[in-house]
Amino acid sequence: MGKITKRSVDALEPQAGKDVFGWDSELRGFGVRVKPSGVKTFLIQYRNAEGRTRRLVLGQYGALAPDVARDLARKKLTAVAEGKDPSAERRAARVGITVSEVCDWYLEEAEAGRILGRNRRPIKASTLQMDRSRIETHIKPLLGSCRVAGLTLRDIEGMQADIVAGKTARSRKGRGGQATGGAGVAGRTIGTLRSLLGHAARFGIVSRNPAEGVRQIAVEQRRRRLSDDEVRRLGQVMREAATEGEHPTGLAAIRLMLLTGFRRMEALGLQRPWFSRDDHCILFPDTKSGAQLRVLGEAAMDWIEAQPARDGSPFVFPGDGGNSHFIGVARVLDRVCVKAKLKNVTPHVLRHTFASVAGDLAFSELTIAGLLGHSARGVTQGYVHLDTALIVAADRVSAEIRQMLDGAAANEDGKARPKNMLRRR
């Protein structure tokens, strides 16, 4: 029909029982369709990246002039040349998948191992557990009914502000206690939302990730550590609590976290076959950063060996029932700290205290990183690569903390450590 103009479109006549098409001679893929009813619409026709023919309606003749429709068609066809699929994008928007539906898709696919996370490996069960908690507690209540296609940065940053303000704080049944708000929770929730929407966009579930570019709230770094006097006070109260019927396994786990700098679940999930006294280490088959060897000091190894074994259980700290490990260390720590009049003490504070004592003893940042499992050198390579310096450091730090817990603070020569020793952390 030559170039599509007002005159050529007006000249097209409908036919009973079928659509009539007229295609532009200058812009390949741009055309006009006449329905049997006489309604005329502008459209484009193209092949997507998979080689499939697609049509996209641009608008109805009358509402769109031919020249305006041509400009719109050119933009859409340019997008096709760049690898996009305008028809699929419009269909996704029309279907209008909600945030809640995308969250459900993500959890189902990730739990089945079909979504890869860091290091191109399936996302860990512990990570998915935290993702599910943030989704159910914060994301769904605040944005769940919203359509992903309509989400804006303002909506998402508004969710972040609401979490900070505590709008989703509530009591939870069973384990988990109180769901709180705050900047830390808000920032991690934004990270979860951005990640799951990114996976959805990569798989074509949504056309874009609306969380890209969101400004994540800054969180002040946690700097709480126990001072030497607080460690001594904690040790004294733990000895008293043991005679008053406090849970012995919980008390033992707290002491091990202080002696090693282990994360909470690293300590609680510790299994006896992973421990090697001869090699001064624990071989963790899996940690936050993958399989890892962690150096142990003599005091820590003595404490592990002192724990009573339970028949049939591989755990150093077995649970009260069943075949799992102990889980109630946070509650025991809370009760002990109340008696010791210590505030804001969490399992992470115990880990940070271990690192800080290592800094007090003038060990380097690199050595401390190795003790904590942050380093990619030495401790992650194999037994033969265990750094002698790390073993010496682990011995000194664990001995220092043991002496404080037992009511003394002495250095390797048995003399009191100077109170004005430089604190590096």
Side-chain angles (χ1 to χ4, degrees), residues 260-262 292-297 351 354-355 358 363-375 377 379 389-395 397:
T260 60
F262 285 176
Q292 194 175 81
L293 288 173
R294 198 77 60 78
V295 176
L296 296 174
R351 178 172 166 83
F354 175 90
F363 289 109
S364 70
E365 295 288 337
L366 188 60
T367 297
I368 296 170
L371 293 175
L372 294 175
H374 288 168
S375 175
R377 63 194 266 283
V379 293
L390 285 181
I391 295 176
V392 171
D395 279 341
V397 176

Side-chain angles (χ1 to χ4, degrees), residues 106-271:
Y106 164 74
L107 290 173
E108 180 180 351
E109 293 296 302
E111 287 171 351
R114 291 190 288 268
I115 294 179
L116 302 183
R118 294 180 180 178
N119 302 319
R120 304 297 191 271
R121 295 175 180 173
I123 300 171
K124 293 183 178 181
S126 58
T127 300
L128 286 175
Q129 183 180 8
M130 293 305 302
D131 287 347
R132 181 179 291 279
S133 176
R134 292 170 192 146
I135 287 169
E136 298 298 337
T137 305
H138 306 293
I139 296 175
K140 282 188 176 181
L142 294 172
L143 292 180
S145 62
C146 298
R147 300 187 185 279
V148 175
L151 275 185
T152 65
L153 294 184
R154 182 175 182 178
D155 295 329
I156 298 171
E157 291 187 3
M159 179 190 74
Q160 181 174 235
D162 287 343
I163 297 172
V164 172
K167 288 189 177 181
T168 48
R170 59 183 175 82
S171 296
R172 288 189 290 220
K173 296 181 180 179
R175 290 171 53 193
Q178 179 76 17
T180 61
V185 173
R188 289 188 289 273
T189 301
I190 290 294
T192 295
L193 180 63
R194 180 190 292 116
S195 177
L196 71 87
L197 288 175
H199 288 302
R202 187 165 56 86
F203 279 88
I205 303 302
V206 297
S207 61
R208 66 184 182 91
N209 181 356
E212 287 295 336
V214 169
R215 292 190 174 182
Q216 203 164 336
I217 191 168
V219 180
E220 185 176 350
Q221 186 176 3
R222 293 177 288 184
R223 299 182 181 276
R224 173 75 165 112
R225 63 157 288 181
L226 296 177
S227 67
D228 293 359
D229 287 340
E230 287 179 323
V231 174
R232 295 189 191 97
R233 195 188 323 160
L234 181 62
Q236 178 183 346
V237 171
M238 286 172 64
R239 290 192 297 274
E240 295 171 354
T243 65
E244 296 169 356
E246 183 56 84
H247 204 299
T249 306
L251 294 173
I254 292 170
R255 185 179 179 98
L256 185 69
M257 284 189 282
L258 277 167
L259 292 174
T260 60
F262 285 176
R263 299 179 179 93
R264 178 175 62 92
M265 292 310 298
E266 289 173 348
L268 296 181
L270 182 60
Q271 297 190 25

Side-chain angles (χ1 to χ4, degrees), residues 26-187:
E26 296 185 1
L27 182 59
R28 182 180 176 86
F30 173 47
V32 60
R33 178 176 61 192
V34 184
K35 302 293 286 184
S37 62
V39 174
K40 300 175 182 179
T41 54
F42 295 108
L43 53 82
I44 60 171
Q45 181 170 297
Y46 61 93
R47 290 185 182 274
N48 63 13
E50 298 174 348
R52 297 178 180 178
T53 300
R54 293 284 185 261
R55 287 175 181 168
L56 176 68
V57 173
L58 302 175
Q60 189 171 319
Y61 175 53
L64 281 182
D67 289 344
V68 175
R70 180 187 303 278
D71 291 339
L72 184 57
R74 184 175 286 109
K75 292 178 181 178
K76 296 294 184 181
L77 292 170
T78 299
V80 171
E82 294 172 348
K84 298 180 180 179
D85 190 344
S87 178
E89 292 176 4
R90 177 172 292 183
R91 187 167 58 253
R94 184 169 62 247
V95 171
I97 189 169
T98 65
V99 173
S100 181
E101 290 168 336
V102 173
C103 289
D104 291 341
W105 167 85
Y106 164 74
L107 290 173
E108 180 180 351
E109 293 296 302
E111 287 171 351
R114 291 190 288 268
I115 294 179
L116 302 183
R118 294 180 180 178
N119 302 319
R120 304 297 191 271
R121 295 175 180 173
I123 300 171
K124 293 183 178 181
S126 58
T127 300
L128 286 175
Q129 183 180 8
M130 293 305 302
D131 287 347
R132 181 179 291 279
S133 176
R134 292 170 192 146
I135 287 169
E136 298 298 337
T137 305
H138 306 293
I139 296 175
K140 282 188 176 181
L142 294 172
L143 292 180
S145 62
C146 298
R147 300 187 185 279
V148 175
L151 275 185
T152 65
L153 294 184
R154 182 175 182 178
D155 295 329
I156 298 171
E157 291 187 3
M159 179 190 74
Q160 181 174 235
D162 287 343
I163 297 172
V164 172
K167 288 189 177 181
T168 48
R170 59 183 175 82
S171 296
R172 288 189 290 220
K173 296 181 180 179
R175 290 171 53 193
Q178 179 76 17
T180 61
V185 173

Side-chain angles (χ1 to χ4, degrees), residues 4 19 25 41 127 143 150 182 197 258-259 286 289 321 324 329-330 337 347 405-406:
I4 291 179
D19 294 344
S25 60
T41 54
T127 300
L143 292 180
L197 288 175
L258 277 167
L259 292 174
D286 191 25
S289 53
S324 187
V329 69
C337 287
L405 285 170
D406 292 342

Side-chain angles (χ1 to χ4, degrees), residues 286-352:
D286 191 25
T287 68
K288 189 174 183 179
S289 53
Q292 194 175 81
L293 288 173
R294 198 77 60 78
V295 176
L296 296 174
E298 289 286 344
M301 293 191 292
D302 290 344
W303 191 244
I304 290 174
E305 290 183 334
Q307 302 311 304
R310 177 190 293 173
D311 290 343
S313 175
F315 296 106
V316 174
F317 304 115
D320 294 330
N323 298 320
S324 187
H325 57 73
F326 183 72
I327 60 173
V329 69
R331 295 186 180 92
V332 176
L333 181 61
D334 287 344
R335 291 193 293 267
V336 170
C337 287
V338 168
K339 293 180 180 179
K341 298 181 179 179
L342 299 175
K343 296 181 179 180
N344 302 319
V345 180
T346 65
H348 182 81
V349 170
L350 305 183
R351 178 172 166 83
H352 188 57

